[in-house]
Amino acid sequence: DDDEDEDNDDIVMLERKIRTSSMPEQAHKVCVKEIKRLKKMPQSMPEYALTRNYLELMVELPWNKSTTDRLDIRAARILLDNDHYAMEKLKKRVLEYLAVRQLKNNLKGPILCFVGPPGVGKTSVGRSVAKTLGREFHRIALGGVCDQSDIRGHRRTYVGSMPGRIINGLKTVGVNNPVFLLDEVDKLGKSLQGDPAAALLEVLDPEQNHNFTDHYLNVAFDLSQVLFIATANTTATIPPALLDRMEIIQVPGYTQEEKIEIAHRHLIPKQLEQHGLTPQQIQIPQVTTLDIITRYTREAGVRSLDRKFGAICRAVAVKVAEGQHKEAKLDHSDVAEGEGCREHILEDAKPESISDTPDLALPPEMPILIDFHALKDILGPPMYEMEVSERLSQPGVAIGLAWTPLGGEIMFVEASRMDGEGQLTLTGQLGDVMKESAHLAISWLRSNAKKYHLTNASGSFDLLDNTDIHLHFPAGAVTKDGPSAGVTIVTCLASLFSGRLVRSDVAMTGEITLRGLVLPVGGIKDKVLAAHRAGLKRVIIPQRNEKDLEEIPGNVRQDLSFVTASCLDEVLNAAFDGGFTVNTRPGLLNSKL
Ligand code: ADP
C-alpha cells in the first residue's frame, strides 16, 4: 500500500507539473489526455510505465527554456584565437558567420559544415562557437546511423521505444537553443528502416523544423532556435540533398611546425592538467615533440599526437607518485616509534634506496626530462622510420601523392616485369579509374619507346613483347582511386624500362592523357603537406595547379621545390637525375623525321 501511495503522490506531482508547464497548447492537450488515462490504468499494465515515462519526458523537455545569446564579435575572435592555433581560414569564416547572425538576428541560412581529416579541430571549433554564444553544446554522432528512428524516434507502441537523438539531446542540455554538432554526416548509412538523411533534412530545413515531429513524442517541437553545425571527413559521401543545405568549409591538415606549436600551446598543457601534473614536474623539449610527430605518428591532424602525450603523462605520473610515496615513507620512519616498527621500515626502505638513490637525491621540483631515450622507454621503438630512400634503391619504383579522407599521403608505386605474353597485372585495392590510368601510361610509353630508348628485357622497343608487367600500389587498406596517379605510373614504368633510378626525393601527382599531356588534379595542399611530412624535397604538379600553391604555408614552400609540368616530357625530366633526355642518336632522329 505504501508503494501505491507513493506512486499516487508521484502522479499528483506529475499532474501539477503538466499544469504549470509552458509547453505549447497541442502538447499540453496530449498530456492532459494521457494523464487521465494513466490514472485509470492498473499499475501492473506495461502501458502504465510507458505512459508515465512519456509524460515525464514531456514535462522535462525545454519547450520554452533557452539561454540568452551573448554575442560579441571581438570577444569571439579572441576566444577562437586563444583556443586554436593556425586554421586562419576556418576562424575567419566562423567569425563572418557569427557577425551575419548578429546583424540579421535569425538563423535561416546555410548550415556550416567543417570538412577535413580527423583531429584537425573541427569538433573543438564547434565547441568554441557554443562558448562564444553562451550556448549549451551537444554532439550527436551520426557515424553508422542507418535507421531513421535514430533521428526521429520510435513510435510509442512497445516497451523500450525511445525518442530520437535530437529530442534526447534537447533533454540532455535542458534548453531549446543549444549548438548541436552533427558529427560525421558523411558516414550516415542507409537501410530498410528508412533513410536517416531524409529525417535529418527535415531537422535542418528552416521552413520545416519549427514543427519537427519526433515519432515518440508525436507532437511538434520547435527546433528553429537550435544552431546546427556539421562535420565530415569528405564531401564525397554526404547525401546530395544534405550537401545542398550546407556551406562547406575545408579544414586542411597541419604542417609539422604547426603541430609543434599546437602541441606546446594546447595539447601538452591540457594533458598535464588532466593527469594532475605541473610543468615543474615534466619537461618536453620541442625536438622531442618533433620526434613524436615524425617517428611515432603519421596523420594530418593531431589526435594520435595528443594520445602520445597522454601516454607520456601517465608514465611520468607513476614516477612522480612513486617519488612522493618514497618521501612519505622516509618521513614516516623518522617519526616512527617502537623498535619493531622501525626495523621493519628500515628493511623495507633499504633495497629501494640503494637502487634508486639518484631519484631520492633529486629535489622534488626537478622536472623529468623527456628526451629520445625516455621516449623509447615509454612509447616503444619508433613506428615510422624514414623509409623513402631505401625503397627507391631499384628501378621501377616512384612516389605518388594521394588524397584520402584522412588527409594526404605518399604512395609508392612499384613495377616489375617478367617473361609473359603482354599481360598487365594490377594489385593494391585499386578503383576503375586508376586501372585506366595504368593502361594509359603503358600505351603512352609504348608509343614513345623509341623516343626515350625504352626496351624490354631482350632489347626490343616493343615493350610488351614476351613481357608481362605487374604494377603494385602497396600500403594501406583504403581503396585508391582517381586519375591523379597517372604521372607516377608513367614515371615508375619509365624507370623500369630504362633501368634508371627515380630521384629518391621526388613525389608527384597529375592526371595524364593518351597524348602525354598532364591535367590538373585536386587536393594539392594536403598532398604537398604529405610530401613535406615524408621529408621529400621536390614535388611535381600539373601546370594548371600552380595557383593552388598559394594555399601552402610559407615555411613548407621554402623547404620544397616545385616543378609544374604540362606534359609528360617535363615530368620525366624532373623525376630523373640529369633529366630523362630524349635520345638524340642521329639514326633515331632521322627515323622520326
Ligand atoms: P576533429 O573534430 O577534427 O576530429 P578535434 O576537434 O576532436 O578534431 O581535435 C582533436 C584535438 O586536437 C582536440 O583536443 C583539439 O583541441 C586539438 N586541436 C586540433 N586542432 C587544434 C588547433 N588548431 N589548436 C589547438 N588545438 C587543436
Side-chain angles (χ1 to χ4, degrees):
D1 274 17
D2 268 5
D3 269 3
E4 219 160 83
D5 280 353
E6 233 172 68
D7 260 4
N8 283 337
D9 284 353
D10 283 353
I11 297 295
V12 172
M13 280 271 275
L14 198 53
E15 201 172 5
R16 189 180 311 144
K17 276 191 201 155
I18 291 171
R19 219 181 309 123
T20 55
S21 158
S22 58
M23 61 179 83
E25 202 176 316
Q26 191 202 2
H28 193 256
K29 258 190 210 152
V30 173
C31 285
V32 169
K33 203 176 99 200
E34 292 287 319
I35 197 136
K36 268 189 194 146
R37 257 167 27 94
L38 188 70
K39 282 202 277 197
K40 289 190 204 128
M41 235 182 265
Q43 287 181 21
S44 52
M45 255 175 93
E47 215 190 329
Y48 181 86
L50 207 68
T51 310
R52 199 170 140 183
N53 286 343
Y54 173 77
L55 287 171
E56 265 159 14
L57 174 68
M58 288 292 273
V59 295
E60 211 178 315
L61 278 181
W63 298 97
N64 247 329
K65 222 157 92 196
S66 55
T67 49
T68 336
D69 272 2
R70 62 178 146 76
L71 183 53
D72 171 352
I73 291 295
R74 245 201 325 194
R77 184 194 301 274
I78 292 170
L79 188 93
L80 274 173
D81 274 340
N82 283 348
D83 284 0
H84 300 97
Y85 180 77
M87 39 171 47
E88 301 306 333
K89 219 163 122 192
L90 174 63
K91 287 192 286 199
K92 182 162 160 263
R93 187 61 196 88
V94 167
L95 281 177
E96 286 168 7
Y97 179 81
L98 292 174
V100 171
R101 284 215 35 227
Q102 185 181 14
L103 296 180
K104 237 174 74 181
N105 215 356
N106 79 24
L107 278 170
K108 287 194 184 156
I111 284 142
L112 291 184
C113 180
F114 305 150
V115 177
V120 292
K122 302 183 296 294
T123 313
S124 175
V125 169
R127 203 168 292 222
S128 287
V129 169
K131 207 155 96 185
T132 50
L133 290 172
R135 289 188 173 213
E136 295 291 328
F137 177 84
H138 185 72
R139 177 173 161 270
I140 299 181
L142 295 174
V145 165
C146 59
D147 183 343
Q148 66 152 328
S149 54
D150 265 322
I151 311 284
R152 209 183 265 153
H154 290 280
R155 285 195 193 287
R156 205 157 33 97
T157 44
Y158 64 93
V159 180
S161 55
M162 284 183 310
R165 294 185 189 208
I166 303 290
I167 293 296
N168 253 334
L170 288 167
K171 183 183 133 191
T172 309
V173 295
V175 287
N176 67 5
N177 65 340
V179 172
F180 272 169
L181 187 88
L182 304 171
D183 215 3
E184 310 200 304
V185 280
D186 55 331
K187 304 212 174 40
L188 276 178
K190 220 178 204 179
S191 75
L192 296 176
Q193 272 70 48
D195 184 357
L200 210 53
L201 258 180
E202 214 173 284
V203 169
L204 297 180
D205 185 356
E207 305 298 329
Q208 290 184 49
N209 71 5
H210 54 267
N211 50 20
F212 167 73
T213 306
D214 182 282
H215 286 157
Y216 179 85
L217 284 197
N218 212 16
V219 291
F221 193 99
D222 181 2
L223 296 181
S224 61
Q225 298 308 308
V226 179
L227 178 67
F228 292 100
I229 296 177
T231 78
N233 291 146
T234 166
T235 52
T237 50
I238 300 179
L242 266 180
L243 196 57
D244 205 38
R245 290 243 169 280
M246 300 194 209
E247 170 166 346
I248 303 297
I249 303 178
Q250 296 282 353
V251 196
Y254 296 118
T255 63
Q256 274 173 13
E257 288 72 22
E258 284 171 340
K259 286 185 187 178
I260 292 179
E261 288 299 322
I262 293 172
H264 287 268
R265 289 168 194 234
H266 299 280
L267 305 181
I268 296 176
K270 258 191 269 175
Q271 287 288 353
L272 291 188
E273 196 194 313
Q274 275 172 25
H275 288 85
L277 294 169
T278 63
Q280 283 75 45
Q281 290 166 324
I282 173 173
Q283 192 191 342
I284 306 180
Q286 296 215 341
V287 284
T288 302
T289 307
L290 184 62
D291 249 343
I292 304 177
I293 293 169
T294 54
R295 305 174 75 176
Y296 289 89
T297 66
R298 184 165 282 179
E299 56 176 354
V302 293
R303 197 169 283 171
S304 351
L305 181 61
D306 195 27
R307 272 193 221 121
K308 301 287 175 207
F309 286 127
I312 291 171
C313 286
R314 285 196 297 279
V316 171
V318 172
K319 281 255 173 197
V320 171
E322 256 176 5
Q324 283 176 353
H325 184 60
K326 265 176 227 146
E327 275 162 40
K329 242 185 191 170
L330 286 183
D331 285 354
H332 188 66
S333 70
D334 284 345
V335 285
E337 283 179 9
E339 291 298 306
C341 183
R342 172 168 292 163
E343 252 175 45
H344 182 74
I345 286 162
L346 283 179
E347 260 172 29
D348 230 32
K350 244 182 192 165
E352 268 189 30
S353 58
I354 288 169
S355 63
D356 281 354
T357 329
D359 258 12
L360 283 178
L362 287 178
E365 68 273 14
M366 191 73 164
I368 296 177
L369 176 72
I370 307 295
D371 56 9
F372 183 62
H373 294 287
L375 212 53
K376 241 177 162 168
D377 274 350
I378 298 170
L379 301 177
M383 276 176 265
Y384 306 101
E385 290 291 358
M386 288 296 170
E387 51 179 350
V388 172
S389 49
E390 275 164 46
R391 293 181 69 167
L392 286 174
S393 57
Q394 287 181 20
V397 187
I399 305 172
L401 294 170
W403 185 89
T404 76
L406 310 185
E409 262 179 45
I410 65 165
M411 170 180 70
F412 290 88
V413 180
E414 295 178 351
S416 68
R417 61 179 167 184
M418 56 222 92
D419 289 347
E421 285 129 34
Q423 301 281 341
L424 170 64
T425 311
L426 293 167
T427 51
Q429 301 236 19
L430 311 180
D432 288 339
V433 179
M434 199 113 154
K435 288 180 189 158
E436 281 171 9
S437 301
H439 284 287
L440 274 176
I442 289 180
S443 295
W444 184 81
L445 284 167
R446 284 175 75 187
S447 62
N448 288 280
K450 277 204 184 116
K451 178 176 167 193
Y452 292 109
H453 205 76
L454 304 174
T455 57
N456 71 358
S458 48
S460 156
F461 288 136
D462 189 354
L463 300 181
L464 291 182
D465 187 33
N466 289 327
T467 309
D468 277 354
I469 300 177
H470 187 154
L471 265 177
H472 182 55
F473 299 76
V478 282
T479 305
K480 305 167 200 79
D481 204 3
S484 71
V487 293
T488 321
I489 302 174
V490 168
T491 307
C492 166
L493 290 172
S495 155
L496 180 73
F497 285 112
S498 65
R500 298 180 54 190
L501 291 180
V502 178
R503 282 176 58 141
S504 61
D505 58 352
V506 178
M508 60 200 83
T509 183
E511 179 175 354
I512 55 172
T513 71
L514 199 50
R515 294 281 165 171
L517 297 181
V518 176
L519 302 183
V521 295
I524 291 291
K525 177 168 182 193
D526 281 325
K527 287 175 176 175
V528 169
L529 292 185
H532 186 247
R533 266 206 298 284
L536 299 170
K537 291 282 171 279
R538 175 181 284 190
V539 179
I540 305 173
I541 62 168
Q543 173 118 64
R544 276 160 62 194
N545 279 117
E546 195 170 358
K547 59 181 188 320
D548 296 312
L549 294 181
E550 275 165 31
E551 284 180 42
I552 315 276
N555 61 326
V556 173
R557 243 187 303 178
Q558 267 171 18
D559 289 352
L560 297 172
S561 74
F562 293 94
V563 176
T564 57
S566 56
C567 63
L568 283 171
D569 267 347
E570 291 164 7
V571 172
L572 292 178
N573 274 332
F576 291 88
D577 259 330
F580 199 71
T581 30
V582 177
N583 195 313
T584 48
R585 275 186 304 167
L588 283 172
L589 265 186
N590 288 342
S591 73
K592 241 184 102 188
L593 295 169

